[in-house]
């Protein structure tokens, strides 16, 4: 009689069940001995079913039941021995048990389906399309994480109602219900050979009180009208195990599970479920439960899945099922610290291995640690420990680490506040007194402002839960604002934010769940009005403030482009969602830069470089995705280039700058002009259309040849001819700041050659001086000075004067000094002109320093959304060198 190899035979002491199994089934040892050194796969399982061992019943149903149950015995024994001998890791164990369930389900389905259609014909839709049963695996089966003595959670669905084709006609509902019941019986009914899997159907719509099978329409109606938060959690793991129309089902369920916006309200729902389970565990004195007890398996799953619910709608890469893969993705995205994710993964593996050893003991669906000393010792040894105390120490370490993280995510934090009155219900005079006590300068005005907010139709229309959230947030907002030097402005800006997010429970939940978030918001809106405006317009960015690591991270634009492209590809062909996604990522990146800016981590020049790189990246992606969506196009690769002028051209972009663009093409195809005109129009629509996520950029095309009277696209040769023969001097001035920023690089290089050629044309200095001065005077007339004030941009000695000085120097001298055509920015070009002896070096340095400081002052004003105007005396010293250089050159 065959025996097991020594490493495996020695493990039988850890499983009395396994020892009895081998003793009672002589065929089992022989089969195991030949295959234990390798995992058992799907093909081996199917081969076993084709020729099962031992005598079999004559009846086909009973024969299949016996074969499936013997397969389960074969696979369980194989997995248990390999696991206990240290030859199989966790992924092999759970993957093999999942494959067993899939093979058993597929076999049972096919057998039962054939028997039913013999009697009733195939189920058809009213239009004649054959229907199918989609079997959805939930829970650990859906996640391919099945344990060794697990129930399987299933949901049965079919696409459309209708009837079978005969001979005995049934409705599709009756047909699939009978099919479902037959599958359950084939898998779960106990026989002399045991069972395959216990089947749990309670996760279907309406649970035990609902029908066994549902059509797609019924499921969709249920999820829309009655689906509860815990069902969103359950459906994260939902995976179609059988059925060709799985994509339709996934597209139906996905919007229910994953919200398009950040869903911090999920924390509340998960907390309630988490608390309910913990309460049950405590009530039943089940603290020794490694699955449901504190720091157990379920808490790790909850931590992973709550982050999926919060962010999965925005990040499809988080719409995955296996817990360990989710933890890795969360670490990759810095949603969980890498060390936390690693600790949770280590704990998960440890606890699942303990779970399996508890179940190997008697093939029981248990998660309770043993009380018997002998069994405790054997469990410890099966886990690689010499005794129970050493095992218990490691177990406690893992559970305490999990419990601490679980408390961090789900624990109720103290909501202390010194405001003694509930803001939503307090009388106006109480509010005024409260604000006065806290040092607000305009308590009466602010009290009326709060009263207007709380009595507005929008606030009155809130749900009771959201009003409770607001009632908790407002006192804290008053307390936090009271500690800020600009307390009145901060409170007003926080109220504006609350008005903007009032109907979005997720954002209220975020601020309630993370007290540090509200304090960080107050710091940001107090530092700059623009931050308040940005958050009010795009509250989805509230999530960004939770991670202060962004303050130290330099943007990696190639990586950003690659990741965004991956996400956009996953959304094909949904243009609307792609446009939203690009806007969301644009806003997030710009807001991260704003936070770094306000923290003093960026110079104005470095900020502009990053904002310009962001715009270049988004333009390049826009070109790619818009071209793909053109129905009529004569080539796969457009010969098309985007030329940036103005602030983007000189890489001096601000947070809300328009893009001055010119579109060029060079393509001899007869349809080229028509195709590229439509292409340009679609690009403008993609960039400038306001969607639910806002806009990307406003686009200005007036700098193209012939301005608004010209076509939106220009052939490269036509552009060249226009610049040589028709362009005004001011257009050549604009060309000094132009650059290729997206599209065909070869076309971009040819544009640059044309640009240099035009800038290097010899010019009459006197005529050039006259035309530059005429244009500058025209601009001054349009923006007259105001007494006692200095406009940083338009007044004499301001930013535009420096720009005109540099542009004149380039146009006047580039024919002798081509290095002046480099688009390196005004400061670098001033230095270059000085090095060439065209202007005084000391004065050039002073003008460059003044230009840098004027830009800083302009940026300061913009951050608080103030005009670019300062008291005349504040900028007097800065104007002096600029005016001096102006006089040297132009008089």
């Amino acid at each position: 009689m065959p025996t097991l190899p020594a490493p495996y035979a020695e493990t039988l002491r850890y499983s009395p069940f396994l020892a009895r199994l081998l003793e009672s089934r002589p065929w089992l040892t022989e089969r195991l001995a030949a295959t234990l050194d390798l995992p058992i796969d799907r093909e081996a399982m199917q081969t076993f079913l084709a020729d099962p061992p031992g005598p079999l019943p004559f009846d086909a149903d009973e024969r299949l039941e016996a074969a499936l149950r013997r397969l389960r015995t074969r696979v369980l024994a194989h997995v248990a021995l390999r696991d206990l001998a240290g030859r199989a890791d966790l992924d092999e164990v759970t993957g093999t048990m999942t494959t067993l369930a899939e093979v058993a389900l597929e076999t049972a389905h096919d057998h039962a389906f054939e028997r039913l259609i013999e009697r009733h014909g195939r189920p058809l839709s009213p239009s004649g399309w054959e229907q199918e049963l989609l079997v959805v695996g939930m829970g650990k089966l859906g996640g391919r994480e099945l344990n060794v003595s697990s129930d399987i959670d299933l949901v049965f669905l079919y696409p459309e109602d209708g009837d079978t084709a005969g001979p005995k006609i049934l409705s599709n509902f009756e047909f699939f219900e009978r099919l479902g019941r037959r599958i359950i019986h084939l898998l779960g009914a106990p026989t002399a050979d045991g069972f395959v899997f216990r089947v749990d159907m309670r996760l279907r719509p309406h649970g035990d009180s609902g029908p066994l099978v549902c059509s797609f329409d019924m499921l969709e109606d249920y999820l829309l009208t009655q689906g509860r938060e815990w069902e969103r959690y359950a459906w994260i793991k939902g995976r179609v195990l059988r059925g060709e129309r799985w994509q339709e089902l996934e597209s139906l369920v996905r919007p229910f599970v994953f919200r398009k916006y950040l869903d911090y309200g999920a924390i509340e729902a998960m907390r309630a479920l988490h608390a309910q389970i913990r309460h049950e565990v405590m009530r039943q004195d089940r603290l020794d439960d490694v699955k449901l007890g504190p720091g157990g398996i379920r808490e790790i799953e909850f931590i992973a899945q709550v982050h999926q619910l919060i962010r999965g709608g925005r990040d499809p890469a988080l719409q995955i099922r296996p817990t360990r893969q989710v933890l890795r993705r969360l670490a990759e995205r810095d949603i969980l610290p890498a060390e936390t994710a690693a600790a949770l993964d280590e704990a998960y593996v440890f606890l699942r291995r303990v779970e399996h050893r508890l179940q190997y003991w008697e093939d029981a669906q248990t998660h309770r640690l043993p009380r018997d000393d002998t069994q405790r010792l054997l469990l410890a040894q099966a886990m690689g420990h010499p005794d129970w105390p050493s095992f218990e120490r490691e177990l406690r370490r893992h559970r305490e680490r999990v419990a601490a993280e679980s408390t961090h995510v789900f624990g109720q934090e103290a909501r202390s506040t010194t405001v003694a009155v509930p803001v939503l219900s307090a009388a106006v005079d109480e509010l005024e007194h409260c604000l006065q006590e806290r040092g607000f300068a305009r308590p009466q005005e602010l009290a009326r402002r709060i009263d207007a907010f709380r009595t507005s139709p929008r606030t009155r229309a809130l749900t009771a839960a959201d009003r409770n959230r607001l009632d908790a947030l407002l006192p804290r907002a008053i307390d936090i604002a009271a500690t800020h030097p600009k307390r009145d402005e901060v409170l007003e800006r926080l109220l504006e934010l609350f008005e903007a997010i009032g109907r979005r429970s997720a954002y209220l939940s975020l601020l309630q769940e993370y007290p540090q978030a509200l304090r960080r918001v107050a710091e940001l809106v107090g530092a700059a009005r623009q931050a308040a405006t940005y958050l009010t317009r795009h509250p989805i960015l509230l999530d960004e403030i939770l991670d202060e690591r962004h303050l130290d991270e330099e943007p990696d634009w190639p990586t950003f482009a690659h990741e965004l492209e991956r996400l956009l590809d996953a959304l094909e062909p949904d243009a609307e969602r792609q446009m939203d996604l690009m806007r969301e990522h644009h806003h997030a990146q710009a807001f991260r830069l704003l936070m770094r800016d306000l923290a003093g981590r960026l110079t104005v020049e470095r900020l502009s470089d990053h904002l310009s790189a962001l715009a270049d990246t988004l333009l390049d992606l826009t070109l790619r995705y818009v071209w793909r969506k053109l129905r009529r196009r004569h080539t796969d690769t457009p010969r098309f280039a985007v030329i940036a002028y103005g602030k983007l051209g000189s890489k001096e972009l601000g947070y809300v700058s328009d893009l001055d663009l010119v579109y060029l093409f060079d393509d001899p195809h007869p349809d080229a002009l028509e195709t590229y005109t439509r292409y340009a129009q679609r690009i403008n629509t993609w960039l400038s259309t306001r969607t639910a996520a806002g806009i990307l950029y406003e686009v200005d095309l007036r700098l193209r040849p012939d301005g608004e009277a010209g076509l939106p696209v220009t052939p490269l040769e036509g552009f060249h001819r226009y610049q040589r023969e028709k362009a005004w001097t001011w257009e050549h001035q604009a060309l000094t700041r132009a650059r290729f920023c997206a599209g065909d690089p070869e076309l971009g290089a040819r544009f640059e050659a044309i640009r240099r050629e035009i800038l290097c044309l010899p010019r009459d200095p006197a005529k050039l001086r006259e035309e530059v001065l005429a244009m500058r005077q025209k601009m001054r007339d349009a923006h007259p000075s105001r007494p006692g004030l200095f406009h940083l941009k338009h007044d004499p000695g301001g930013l535009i004067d420096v720009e005109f000085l540099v542009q004149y120097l380039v146009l006047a001298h580039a024919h002798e000094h081509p290095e002046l055509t480099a688009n390196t920015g005004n400061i670098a070009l001033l230095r270059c002109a000085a090095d060439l002896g065209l202007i005084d070096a000391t004065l050039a340095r002073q003008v460059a320093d003044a230009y840098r400081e004027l830009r800083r002052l302009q940026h300061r004003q913009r951050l608080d959304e103030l005009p670019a105007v300062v008291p005349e005396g504040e900028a007097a010293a800065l104007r002096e060198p600029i005016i001096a250089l102006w006089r040297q050159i132009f008089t």
Side-chain angles (χ1 to χ4, degrees), residues 800-875:
I800 288 181
D801 276 3
V802 178
E803 293 168 3
F804 269 57
L805 283 167
V806 171
Q807 290 161 11
Y808 172 81
L809 289 168
V810 172
L811 295 178
H813 300 286
H815 68 286
E816 294 178 338
H817 304 289
E819 56 266 46
L820 286 169
T821 63
N823 187 354
T824 53
N826 291 309
I827 292 175
L829 287 171
L830 284 167
R831 186 184 309 118
C832 179
D835 292 343
L836 293 169
L838 303 176
I839 56 176
D840 177 76
T842 301
L843 190 55
R845 186 173 60 255
Q846 291 172 347
V847 171
D849 292 342
Y851 181 75
R852 184 182 290 110
E853 181 62 14
L854 288 172
R855 283 192 65 196
R856 190 192 67 78
L857 291 173
Q858 182 190 47
H859 183 61
R860 181 197 69 185
Q861 296 296 102
R862 285 177 174 170
L863 282 176
D864 255 333
E865 298 182 356
L866 296 172
V869 176
V870 297
E872 194 170 25
E874 184 175 350

Side-chain angles (χ1 to χ4, degrees), residues 166 279 291 332 359 363 366 378 611 721 756 817:
H279 176 73
K291 177 182 179 181
E332 288 168 4
Q359 293 172 358
D363 189 27
T366 182
L378 289 170
L611 289 172
R721 189 166 52 251
R756 288 177 179 268
H817 304 289

Side-chain angles (χ1 to χ4, degrees), residues 83 143 187 375 421 450 501 598 621 699 724 742 754 760 779 782 877:
D83 187 7
L187 296 179
Q375 190 179 346
V421 293
I450 294 170
I501 68 174
L598 295 177
L621 288 170
V699 176
R724 285 193 66 93
I754 291 171
C760 288
M779 295 179 69

